[in-house]
Amino acid sequence: MKTFRITTPDEALRPVLQNKIDNLNKPKGSMGRLEELALQIGLIQHTLSPELRHPCHLLFGADHGIEREGVSISPREITWQQMINFSRGGGGVNLFCRQHGFELFLIDMGVDYDLHSYPGIIDCKVARGTRNFLHEAAMTEEETDQCIETGARMVTECHKRGCNVVSIGEMGIGNTSPSSIWMHLLTGTPLEMCVGAGAGLNNAGIRHKYEVLQSAIQRFRTHHPDLQDADVRSTRYATEVLRWFSGFEMTAAIGAMLRAAELGMVILVDGFIMTACMLMASRLYPAIRHYAVFCHEGDEAGHRRMLEALHARGLLQIGLRLGEGTGALCAYPLLQSAVRMLNEMNNFENAHITKYF
């Protein structure tokens, strides 16, 4: 697998940044999460005057073999139909990219449909969907590497265009299933607390989904008797879990996240599925956590618990569960506000206001 050089941001600037934030003409701490964002972005960019440049949104699409087991209420063809819809500008992701000035990249990692003739869709197809992880590993080692490298390459392209903040989304019917398994296997959370309705399953559907995923995990453990619970923090454990249960679009998203952190970019993390990708990325490279801004807390069962496992909080709690990266895009104005606060708000001394604390 491709290696990345991800370093922890230099902490030497933290007290200087915090002092600047504290001396803006406001009660100390009164800007709440905006102050936390300003501090984080300043540390990532190692400056007292950060800026957000040429934001890009990467949307990776692919199908999942596990979808054949009836784990989603949405039929498989929704993946390719939505990808075509996105290419024509008609999706939720499109309107928010337009609203907030993001350059949108639509990447076909493994959609079970021929999309090469549709303008605006970048053909990086590995295969027409992953294998069914109820019976076998979803991906080969070669496919895993290909997805990681593709995701990284897309971020490199964004960086060349001047981008220093990237958001990532997905389109893949069935991808809450691998996300739930990752949460269970990487955090130790009981599986029933990780499995939710996805696109809208009823109680019976959720129970069926749970049973399918439980069987898939048992097959994985049978195939890997050498991997014990004690190994859960090891890179090898994470890599095997990734290969067995992932989707092409999720693996590409992980490659994108890792490359973005390597380049010192701000990473906007969307909902349940992208949080699962950040969880996996953080098990491969723990330092990536410093570059992640968790943009919202979705309705999918377990998302809050997954955020807690990452010692994170979502910026928004507005009932989002669309995917596509839409929650990350909706949260972007908060980052803009945080940066503008740091750069444009006067301090007590220059404003001739008595500092009373």
Side-chain angles (χ1 to χ4, degrees):
M1 184 181 292
K2 179 179 174 65
T3 58
F4 297 86
R5 297 183 62 184
I6 301 175
T7 59
T8 301
D10 186 356
E11 286 289 312
L13 193 62
R14 179 181 292 273
V16 185
L17 263 168
Q18 190 64 60
N19 183 65
K20 180 176 181 180
I21 292 168
D22 290 344
N23 280 285
L24 298 174
N25 56 337
K26 58 177 180 55
K28 187 176 181 179
S30 63
M31 298 294 273
R33 298 292 298 278
L34 296 184
E35 297 189 21
E36 296 175 19
L37 282 172
L39 180 63
Q40 181 183 5
I41 297 168
L43 287 172
I44 290 171
Q45 297 184 3
H46 195 69
T47 179
L48 295 175
S49 302
E51 58 180 330
L52 302 172
R53 300 189 307 270
H54 197 94
C56 290
H57 186 79
L58 304 177
L59 190 147
F60 298 101
D63 280 300
H64 291 250
I66 195 64
E67 176 272 335
R68 302 296 192 192
E69 302 299 326
V71 295
S72 174
I73 193 173
S74 301
R76 189 179 187 89
E77 59 263 28
I78 295 297
T79 303
W80 66 260
Q81 290 170 355
Q82 278 285 50
M83 289 293 286
I84 294 172
N85 181 38
F86 299 153
S87 75
R88 295 169 175 166
V93 65
N94 301 98
L95 74 93
F96 292 128
C97 281
R98 289 191 295 265
Q99 179 182 3
H100 301 304
F102 276 70
E103 183 173 3
L104 173 61
F105 296 82
L106 301 172
I107 306 107
D108 174 13
M109 293 302 303
V111 178
D112 190 8
Y113 194 81
D114 184 0
L115 296 173
H116 82 274
S117 64
Y118 289 90
I121 298 178
I122 302 169
D123 184 7
C124 298
K125 196 188 298 287
V126 177
R128 291 179 67 148
T130 53
R131 296 162 188 82
N132 187 343
F133 63 64
L134 179 61
H135 307 295
E136 59 183 321
M139 303 185 301
T140 66
E141 291 183 10
E142 293 75 18
E143 289 169 342
T144 304
D145 293 346
Q146 183 178 345
C147 291
I148 292 287
E149 290 172 2
T150 297
R153 185 174 71 252
M154 293 305 306
V155 167
T156 299
E157 177 59 32
C158 293
H159 190 258
K160 288 178 179 177
R161 299 183 185 211
C163 172
N164 69 356
V165 53
V166 63
S167 59
I168 304 167
E170 43 63 39
M171 184 64 232
I173 298 304
N175 57 15
T176 61
S177 290
S179 301
S180 298
I181 289 178
W182 287 1
M183 178 182 172
H184 167 62
L185 292 178
L186 297 182
T187 72
T189 305
L191 183 61
E192 59 268 24
M193 294 183 179
C194 306
V195 178
L201 289 170
N202 59 20
N203 288 339
I206 294 172
R207 183 64 194 176
H208 170 72
K209 181 178 177 180
Y210 167 80
E211 291 171 352
V212 169
L213 300 189
Q214 183 64 46
S215 296
I217 292 167
Q218 290 171 354
R219 174 62 61 90
F220 170 75
R221 292 192 183 281
T222 299
H223 196 269
H224 292 284
D226 56 321
L227 289 179
Q228 305 299 319
D229 290 341
D231 300 319
V232 69
R233 291 281 176 180
S234 71
T235 300
R236 178 171 176 259
Y237 185 94
T239 301
E240 290 302 321
V241 170
L242 168 65
R243 187 175 68 85
W244 191 278
F245 296 107
S246 192
F248 296 138
E249 86 285 19
M250 295 171 68
T251 309
I254 291 169
M257 292 173 177
L258 293 171
R259 179 58 174 154
E262 184 175 51
L263 291 170
M265 300 167 71
V266 178
I267 307 167
L268 305 184
V269 182
D270 191 49
F272 185 64
I273 295 150
M274 287 297 102
T275 302
C277 290
M278 180 54 71
L279 172 66
M280 179 62 75
S282 71
R283 292 303 171 87
L284 299 173
Y285 292 87
I288 194 176
R289 175 65 182 79
H290 298 280
Y291 299 87
V293 175
F294 295 87
C295 291
H296 75 98
E297 181 184 309
D299 276 355
E300 182 68 14
H303 192 197
R304 176 179 293 181
R305 294 186 181 94
M306 197 190 304
L307 288 170
E308 289 173 352
L310 284 160
H311 307 291
R313 293 178 296 157
L315 287 171
L316 304 175
Q317 293 86 35
I318 54 176
L320 298 174
R321 57 184 179 90
L322 177 59
E324 305 171 16
T326 49
L329 295 166
C330 285
Y332 181 66
L334 294 178
L335 278 77
Q336 292 178 304
S337 294
V339 167
R340 293 182 77 101
M341 176 197 73
L342 192 58
N343 291 333
E344 299 177 23
M345 195 172 185
N346 212 342
N347 58 37
F348 284 97
E349 182 178 356
N350 290 337
H352 305 292
I353 296 172
T354 302
K355 186 176 180 182
Y356 53 91
F357 57 86

